[in-house]
Amino acid sequence: MRHILSILMENEAGALSRVAGLFSARGYNIESLTVAPTEDPSMSRMTLVTRGSDEVVEQITKQLNKLVDVIKLIDLAESAHIEREIMLVKVHAQGGYREEVKRLTEIFRGSIIDVTASSFIIEVTGAQDKLDAFLKALEEQSVFEVVRSGATGISRGEKGLHL
Amino acid sequence: MELSGAEILVQSLKDEGVEYIFGYPGGSVLHIYDALFKQEDVKHVLVRHEQGATHSADGYARATGKPGVVLVTSGPGATNAVTGIATAYMDSIPMVVVSGQTPTPMIGSDAFQEVDTVGITRPCVKHNFLVKDVRDIAETIKKAFHIASTGRPGPVLVDIPKDVTDPAVLVSYEYPKKVSMRSYNPSVKGHKGQIKKALELMLRAHRPILYTGGGVVLGEASDELVALTKKLGFPITNTLMGLGSYPATERQFIGMLGMHGTYEANKAMHECDTLIAIGARFDDRVTGKLSEFCPNATIIHVDIDPASISKNVKVDVPIVGEVKGVLKEMLKLLNSGEFSPKPELISKWWERIEKWRSYNCLDYDRESKLIKPQYVVEQLYEVTNGEAFVTSDVGQHQMYAAQYYKFNKPRRWINSGGLGTMGFGLPAAIGVKLAHPESEVACVTGEGSIQMCIQELSTALQYKTPIKIINLNNGYLGMVRQWQEFTYESRYSHSYMDTIPEFMKLAESYGHVGMRIDKKEDVRGALEEAFAQKDRTVFLDFITDPTENVYPMIEAGKGHHEMRLAPGMITDEDLA
Ligand SMILES: Cc1ncc(C[n+]2csc(CCOP(=O)(O)OP(=O)(O)O)c2C)c(N)n1
Ligand SMILES: [Mg+2]
């Protein structure tokens, strides 16, 4: 099962390595991880995507909560939430393929943000599966650089993660 | 009050009520040492190796419940301390370690004696800090003690760059009265509904057992545990870390459980229908093969650390909270009359347990001409009236001490259970003796382990900590030899040291009394003679049977019901 842990923590040097260290020391996997300060600069918010059985994720959550720098956390995947990831893709695009790429970008509500005679850079935002689908739609040989931010997310409605 | 960083550190320790600090000087902590020199309230103990400092502080903490305090220099000072920090971490011992660091402007430049101490220790501390501003020292020290000693305790390290303790930089000082940290609020009261539910299950049980661990000792809940156990009338087993929290000489105590637990404790674990785990963490040395663990039991688990619950074994009724409070609540319910134990429900169970107990699994060959290690521990128990603080190292001798010294009080049995650190015993004994100068302190060790921190004999002389070292000298890394005998067809690969020192002379050269005992009939007399020398450290080198093994034993990967018993022991199968 895929879980999206949203973690509110002290914005302190070392906080990130405590989280990363916990995952490597206990053999948990990190699929992606993003972190940045929140509206309150003394706190950062991390979104961490991991996979594991319910028991494993329960352990992960408990161990994270034990870290002194961690203030609060929730598993977004447990309830209604919005997940977003940003992806930048550099593709070779020449001749007829240029039109094809433009069309695909439109379908996926992406935008072309850089153009040369032989290439595009495309920006696409969405949930993980949408970005996967976009990559699949492109001709495999045309893609020569992919940068993904890793997922971030927020829960819907009143429910949320704050102090 | 305007003070330098070094003075602030020392003053903070004073205000925290620190009695002893175990340390070793070096470049990056010289300002701090100078501040220590100018006062007398915080007494410094100069160890001979930083590992010794951490173990001594640890022993002090285990014997008192107060955090042990350590001061080491940067680089090698800090790395030498790591083993002791990890030892404390694994057994949840409160400790505050202050380490010097390269001056802030030089951090990251591979400066002389620079290591990333915060990075190296991160996985083996409860928390750590790097203090970059002199104005943060007092608050950080306050936080360090708070974190170390509350919730599930553990070591906290405070790394202080040399420039932050600069005697020329003075700032105002006030020690914070209290700390509040939004990200750390550990104290939890057990859920009343869960407690009630647990008690109902317990009172319905036909084959209950209490399995209690170090959490009872750490949580100062021994009195409550004794009262509850007596009220319930249930059998109780302790883990290696929990010994002493229930009196070993009482009838309801059925011995230690686990790898070298008693026959009756392990059998009872295997057959119980209700397991009440209190302040214990289902360590693999306790559970044996997980798929065979307590196959028919409903499991209740009381622990302060939610992460300990259902980590290795799925729990049916979890109770997260301070053990003391939870046990008090259970007692309250029992005393209210609303709940009452029914002894008739468990009378068959007790019959079964008494049968197992009657096999006397800890019996050994008393006729042997050689000194049996078990015999030495039994004699030690008698000579000290069971009242000594006993520290230990790691190996067969540790298990003999745990099995044959019947601890009746908590904090008397002091050993490295989680990390299993050879070298722990001697420095720990020094810390214990400083904490309890009027009590007898014995270190039960082996010729292998004692050599790992033997240099602390010198510290013991300087600080006048008269302890008795009981060296069960079997000539082997005995526990390793035992495993090799059982699982590697007696291929004793590097478990024998061709050369070992003459411990008697070694002890004498360190300024202590040395004794060598190689005859069984001299054991008792030697112990009496040693303990009569109240103000001397005595090293008793007992030459014991090199082939003796620790029984019972659950070999790795086996279940509680698959114990290997001492040769010649009667088993269930024989009786069937
Ligand atoms: C620092 C360290 N290194 C290695 C071990 C592995 N080990 C566990 S018991 C043991 C043998 C200990 O020998 P000794 O102190 O003579 O005790 P005995 O088993 O003979 O009583 C060893 C090497 C350990 N526990 N700690
Ligand atoms: Mg030995």
Side-chain angles (χ1 to χ4, degrees):
Chain A
M1 257 285 277
R2 182 166 175 269
H3 294 261
I4 311 163
L5 304 178
S6 199
I7 307 163
L8 205 55
M9 54 194 205
E10 296 292 348
N11 188 4
E12 299 223 2
L16 175 61
S17 34
R18 279 182 223 283
V19 173
L22 182 117
F23 273 73
S24 62
R26 294 191 181 265
Y28 309 141
N29 87 307
I30 299 180
E31 209 168 275
S32 73
L33 184 158
T34 69
V35 61
T38 64
E39 71 280 7
D40 172 351
S42 73
M43 291 189 287
S44 330
R45 181 145 167 177
M46 175 186 283
T47 312
L48 192 154
V49 178
T50 184
R51 265 174 213 279
S53 64
D54 287 352
E55 292 80 47
V56 168
V57 174
E58 186 184 325
Q59 252 307 300
I60 293 178
T61 317
K62 287 172 170 176
Q63 294 293 350
L64 283 169
N65 266 316
K66 260 173 81 169
L67 294 178
V68 169
D69 285 334
V70 168
I71 303 169
K72 248 183 182 178
L73 67 99
I74 51 168
D75 184 351
L76 290 175
E78 273 182 356
S79 56
H81 66 278
I82 292 163
E83 178 190 339
R84 288 289 180 272
E85 178 174 359
I86 183 169
M87 176 168 73
L88 305 177
V89 193
K90 201 179 276 182
V91 290
H92 286 296
Q94 277 170 311
Y97 190 52
R98 286 177 86 86
E99 275 311 306
E100 168 78 8
V101 170
K102 274 196 218 164
R103 207 171 48 82
L104 279 173
T105 304
E106 243 166 65
I107 294 172
F108 281 86
R109 294 180 203 285
S111 46
I112 294 170
I113 53 175
D114 186 61
V115 180
T116 70
S118 60
S119 74
F120 289 146
I121 296 175
I122 307 151
E123 175 190 323
V124 194
T125 311
Q128 190 188 31
D129 47 353
K130 173 178 160 186
L131 305 192
D132 291 345
F134 179 69
L135 282 179
K136 238 184 177 168
L138 293 168
E139 272 176 26
E140 211 181 310
Q141 328 75 281
S142 72
V143 177
F144 69 104
E145 208 173 331
V146 177
V147 188
R148 297 175 69 148
S149 65
T152 65
I154 194 163
S155 45
R156 284 184 186 273
E158 287 295 311
K159 199 175 163 224
L161 181 64
H162 33 70
L163 282 188
Chain B
M1 196 170 22
E2 295 260 304
L3 298 176
S4 73
E7 290 165 337
I8 288 176
L9 174 67
V10 173
Q11 189 61 44
S12 299
L13 296 176
K14 240 187 256 186
D15 288 345
E16 195 57 50
V18 172
E19 208 182 351
Y20 289 105
I21 180 164
F22 300 88
Y24 208 95
S28 68
V29 287
L30 284 179
H31 299 326
I32 302 172
Y33 270 86
D34 197 46
L36 278 172
F37 189 81
K38 296 173 184 158
Q39 56 86 52
E40 278 171 357
D41 300 311
V42 182
K43 295 188 268 303
H44 181 273
V45 176
L46 176 64
V47 296
R48 302 304 189 254
H49 184 298
E50 288 88 350
Q51 182 182 349
T54 48
H55 291 331
S56 287
D58 184 322
Y60 175 90
R62 291 184 203 234
T64 59
K66 292 191 271 181
V69 184
V70 176
L71 174 60
V72 294
T73 193
S74 65
T79 54
N80 273 349
V82 170
T83 300
I85 297 172
T87 302
Y89 181 68
M90 288 295 277
D91 289 342
S92 308
I93 304 304
M95 180 185 286
V96 172
V97 180
V98 176
S99 53
Q101 184 52 276
T102 304
T104 1
M106 286 160 78
I107 289 181
S109 69
D110 301 318
F112 178 63
Q113 295 194 328
E114 177 182 1
V115 293
D116 175 10
T117 305
V118 164
I120 288 174
T121 56
R122 191 175 294 126
C124 60
V125 292
K126 185 168 171 188
H127 196 60
N128 58 20
F129 297 93
L130 174 65
V131 184
K132 286 190 165 161
D133 187 327
V134 56
R135 282 174 297 256
D136 294 338
I137 293 179
E139 195 188 328
T140 308
I141 292 296
K142 182 81 196 172
K143 280 185 183 168
F145 277 90
H146 176 61
I147 295 170
S149 56
T150 53
R152 178 174 179 176
V156 176
L157 177 130
V158 182
D159 202 25
I160 311 183
K162 187 170 186 181
D163 54 320
V164 176
T165 55
D166 187 348
V169 181
L170 301 182
V171 297
S172 74
Y173 168 80
E174 194 186 349
Y175 196 60
K177 294 226 162 30
K178 55 176 204 250
V179 259
S180 81
M181 298 173 69
R182 61 183 171 189
S183 61
Y184 178 75
N185 299 293
S187 162
V188 237
K189 263 190 136 152
H191 188 275
K192 285 203 174 168
Q194 289 288 93
I195 295 175
K196 213 164 166 175
K197 189 168 155 197
L199 200 58
E200 277 163 5
L201 278 169
M202 283 153 69
L203 295 178
R204 253 186 275 142
H206 288 83
R207 299 188 308 279
I209 182 168
L210 292 150
Y211 141 57
T212 77
V216 175
V217 179
L218 296 166
E220 304 287 355
S222 175
D223 289 347
E224 289 77 9
L225 179 69
V226 172
L228 182 74
T229 306
K230 292 200 168 157
K231 189 101 193 163
L232 291 167
F234 293 176
I236 178 168
T237 176
N238 286 168
T239 67
L240 179 69
M241 298 311 296
L243 294 175
S245 53
Y246 191 87
T249 50
E250 300 248 346
R251 187 191 67 94
Q252 281 168 259
F253 185 68
I254 60 171
M256 179 170 80
L257 82 163
M259 185 170 272
H260 294 295
T262 63
Y263 186 65
E264 49 272 32
N266 286 336
K267 285 292 264 188
M269 287 294 287
H270 192 69
E271 295 195 8
C272 72
D273 67 358
T274 307
L275 177 69
I276 306 116
I278 304 171
R281 60 186 180 89
F282 297 83
D283 176 77
D284 53 277
R285 287 295 191 262
V286 158
T287 60
K289 189 178 182 182
L290 279 176
S291 58
E292 306 266 357
F293 179 75
C294 298
N296 306 311
T298 302
I299 302 178
I300 297 159
H301 187 189
V302 184
D303 206 286
I304 194 158
D305 178 8
S308 281
I309 290 176
S310 292
K311 181 173 70 176
N312 302 335
V313 171
K314 184 106 188 66
V315 168
D316 301 292
V317 186
I319 303 172
V320 178
E322 283 181 338
V323 168
K324 194 181 179 83
V326 173
L327 299 189
K328 271 199 167 136
E329 182 65 25
M330 285 185 175
L331 277 167
K332 206 170 99 191
L333 290 173
L334 278 171
N335 290 330
S336 74
E338 191 185 336
F339 294 87
S340 47
K342 298 185 193 63
E344 65 278 11
L345 282 190
I346 57 168
S347 56
K348 278 248 160 54
W349 178 229
W350 266 117
E351 274 171 33
R352 227 171 137 60
I353 289 171
E354 291 303 355
K355 178 97 202 172
W356 291 326
R357 177 144 60 184
S358 72
Y359 301 156
N360 205 3
C361 70
L362 292 181
D363 207 8
Y364 59 91
D365 178 9
R366 289 169 196 277
E367 307 307 316
S368 169
K369 296 256 176 318
L370 300 171
I371 301 179
K372 288 283 181 182
Q374 300 95 322
Y375 175 71
V376 179
V377 177
E378 279 178 350
Q379 292 303 309
L380 173 68
Y381 173 75
E382 284 183 16
V383 168
T384 56
N385 296 317
E387 301 260 290
F389 285 82
V390 178
T391 72
S392 184
D393 273 296
V394 177
Q396 293 182 319
H397 61 270
Q398 174 193 27
M399 293 301 126
Y400 296 133
Q403 292 174 326
Y404 295 88
Y405 199 102
K406 298 190 255 323
F407 294 95
N408 276 346
K409 286 182 190 150
R411 301 201 178 281
R412 296 288 164 108
W413 166 237
I414 287 166
N415 85 129
S416 164
L419 198 67
T421 310
M422 289 170 68
F424 175 81
L426 170 58
I430 293 172
V432 175
K433 187 70 186 178
L434 286 168
H436 299 291
E438 302 307 321
S439 303
E440 297 293 4
V441 179
C443 166
V444 176
T445 184
E447 81 298 332
S449 295
I450 193 68
Q451 292 187 72
M452 286 216 177
C453 274
I454 190 90
Q455 74 287 344
E456 299 308 320
L457 281 175
S458 181
T459 314
L461 186 70
Q462 181 172 346
Y463 296 92
K464 303 190 177 61
T465 53
I467 53 182
K468 308 295 178 256
I469 296 155
I470 315 297
N471 190 37
L472 301 180
N473 186 346
N474 53 9
Y476 278 95
L477 301 173
M479 191 55 96
V480 173
R481 190 201 57 72
Q482 176 169 346
W483 282 54
Q484 289 171 336
E485 180 184 330
F486 290 175
T487 45
Y488 299 92
E489 298 171 310
S490 298
R491 287 186 297 279
Y492 297 135
S493 180
H494 305 280
S495 52
Y496 179 77
M497 289 177 186
D498 273 324
T499 56
I500 45 173
E502 282 188 44
F503 289 109
M504 198 173 85
K505 285 192 192 161
L506 188 68
E508 282 166 5
S509 94
Y510 272 109
H512 303 303
V513 180
M515 294 165 91
R516 184 174 189 277
I517 304 97
D518 57 7
K519 286 192 205 61
K520 192 173 161 183
E521 53 278 17
D522 295 341
V523 169
R524 177 73 178 224
L527 284 165
E528 280 168 356
E529 193 184 322
F531 280 94
Q533 305 189 56
K534 293 268 174 237
D535 54 354
R536 299 297 299 272
T537 287
V538 184
F539 193 115
L540 296 103
D541 189 20
F542 291 98
I543 310 304
T544 62
D545 183 351
T547 63
E548 187 56 288
N549 289 324
V550 182
Y551 296 105
M553 178 175 185
I554 302 173
E555 285 168 76
K558 296 259 167 94
H560 279 153
H561 56 307
E562 300 170 294
M563 270 167 284
R564 181 167 185 152
L565 300 171
M569 269 271 320
I570 320 164
T571 67
D572 264 5
E573 289 81 58
D574 297 330
L575 296 166

